[in-house]
Amino acid sequence: MQLIIVSGRSGSGKTIALRVLEDLGFYCVDNLPISLLPTLIHAIMGKFESIAVSVDVRNLPADEEELAEALDFLPVKLKADILFIDANDEVLMRRYGETRRLHPLSQGSMPLSEAIALEYKLLEPMALRATWRIDSSSFSVHELSEQVTERVLGRKMNKLILVFTSFGFKHGLPSTLDTVFDARILPNPHWEPELKPFTGLDEPVQRFLGQQPLVTKFIYQVENFISTWLPYFQRSNRSYLTIGIGCTGGQHRSVYIAEQLANHFRTVHDQVQVKHRELERKS
């Protein structure tokens, strides 16, 4: 049996995550008091293969020891995975302003900013126990759904999903990255007038970069690094490893290198994905 506890601050996307899990075949229970979790599990054990329960600040015990007891009282063979979804304070403030909903802790005269800060403090014990943490600050509903699906399926299949993501540093780092490699030191096709309109997916840019010894050396050494440490990431029981390749604009070098790395690791690893953040934003 697989048990996932979904938690996080209000407005971060817990409802979306629970809906995704329901679509994946989980038996879902929304806003269950954590003290009732052992009772629920013992009552439905054997009836469902996968269960998801959402827990927010309203049904979390005030005493941290009660949380530990509830999780420790689960059947011996059942280990709960905790999915903690959050967003930065500014984004949460904006989302509440757009929906005009009342924050669960906004009782009396407490300002929204204080309620949001207090909520994180109350949920911190749950956050510290999290198996997965997702920052939804920059995600659309579709992107958050995709993140939840990929993490959960990776654990369910007992396979680590290896993701190579290209991006441009001038647009900021993607929040999902586990490891980052900086390709800005490499020859830049952007300064070649005939190559500037193309991307790292196009043959002229691929031919140019493939002829650069520094690019070849960079890819070779990144491959060696990942090959060396990938078994250790797999043994850590994680389901997802996202490796970022960044260049200045995220159009040429990082795209080419991410594709080369993905092609190489597809020959030795079952679950490999490649994403190009800046190109996807343009499409």
Side-chain angles (χ1 to χ4, degrees):
M1 178 185 288
Q2 183 179 20
L3 169 63
I4 294 179
I5 299 173
V6 181
S7 190
R9 287 195 285 183
S10 303
S12 62
K14 298 192 306 299
T15 301
I16 294 170
L18 202 65
R19 191 182 308 137
V20 169
L21 293 172
E22 189 170 31
D23 290 343
L24 291 175
F26 280 73
Y27 175 78
C28 295
V29 180
D30 194 11
N31 287 332
L32 179 78
I34 195 71
S35 59
L36 296 180
L37 180 59
T39 303
L40 171 69
I41 297 302
H42 284 282
I44 64 177
M45 172 110 25
K47 297 180 181 178
F48 301 97
E49 181 182 345
S50 303
I51 302 168
V53 175
S54 75
V55 174
D56 68 16
V57 71
R58 292 169 294 184
N59 49 35
L60 198 65
D63 188 346
E64 187 176 339
E65 292 186 4
E66 290 184 43
L67 171 63
E69 288 176 4
L71 296 177
D72 294 342
F73 193 64
L74 296 174
V76 176
K77 295 183 179 180
L78 181 64
K79 179 183 178 299
D81 288 317
I82 297 176
L83 170 61
F84 193 87
I85 304 176
D86 202 8
N88 64 51
D89 291 4
E90 293 76 14
V91 169
L92 293 176
M93 291 277 289
R94 188 183 72 242
R95 289 175 181 173
Y96 267 97
E98 291 170 350
T99 62
R100 298 189 178 182
R101 293 175 54 222
L102 183 67
H103 191 280
L105 296 180
S106 289
Q107 300 177 359
S109 59
M110 180 182 290
L112 177 59
S113 59
E114 292 183 16
I116 288 173
L118 175 60
E119 185 178 25
Y120 185 82
K121 182 178 180 181
L122 295 174
L123 287 171
E124 192 170 15
M126 185 69 79
L128 292 174
R129 287 174 169 261
T131 309
W132 307 289
R133 295 189 66 158
I134 297 178
D135 184 339
S136 69
S137 300
S138 61
F139 289 163
S140 65
V141 171
H142 173 75
E143 290 170 329
L144 176 57
S145 299
E146 187 179 67
Q147 289 289 317
V148 173
T149 299
E150 290 176 345
R151 280 161 170 72
V152 172
L153 287 182
R155 173 60 60 83
K156 200 168 186 177
M157 294 184 296
N158 198 26
K159 294 282 188 179
L160 183 143
I161 299 174
L162 184 58
V163 182
F164 294 97
T165 299
S166 72
F167 68 96
F169 276 99
K170 73 177 184 180
H171 303 296
L173 269 70
S175 61
T176 57
L177 300 184
D178 297 302
T179 302
V180 178
F181 293 94
D182 188 347
R184 288 176 292 184
I185 56 173
L186 303 177
N188 189 357
H190 176 82
W191 302 117
E192 304 293 329
E194 70 277 11
L195 297 178
K196 185 176 179 179
F198 296 103
T199 76
L201 298 178
D202 297 315
E203 194 274 337
V205 172
Q206 293 173 351
R207 184 172 61 251
F208 172 83
L209 291 173
Q211 294 172 348
Q212 304 296 322
L214 277 179
V215 175
T216 302
K217 184 176 183 179
F218 184 94
I219 294 172
Y220 174 75
Q221 292 188 337
V222 172
E223 285 176 355
N224 280 343
F225 177 89
I226 297 170
S227 297
T228 299
W229 295 105
L230 186 58
Y232 295 92
F233 282 112
Q234 290 174 307
R235 291 171 198 165
S236 68
N237 201 32
R238 66 191 299 155
S239 60
Y240 207 84
L241 177 63
T242 303
I243 297 170
I245 309 295
C247 61
T248 305
Q251 303 293 318
H252 300 105
R253 295 166 291 182
S254 61
V255 173
Y256 172 77
I257 293 169
E259 287 287 338
Q260 294 300 307
L261 292 170
N263 289 337
H264 170 78
F265 281 97
R266 284 190 181 108
T267 65
V268 295
H269 193 75
D270 291 337
Q271 301 289 327
V272 177
Q273 299 176 9
V274 61
K275 298 182 180 181
H276 304 298
R277 187 183 71 175
E278 316 311 346
L279 300 189
E280 291 169 3
R281 285 178 172 178
K282 290 171 61 177
S283 61

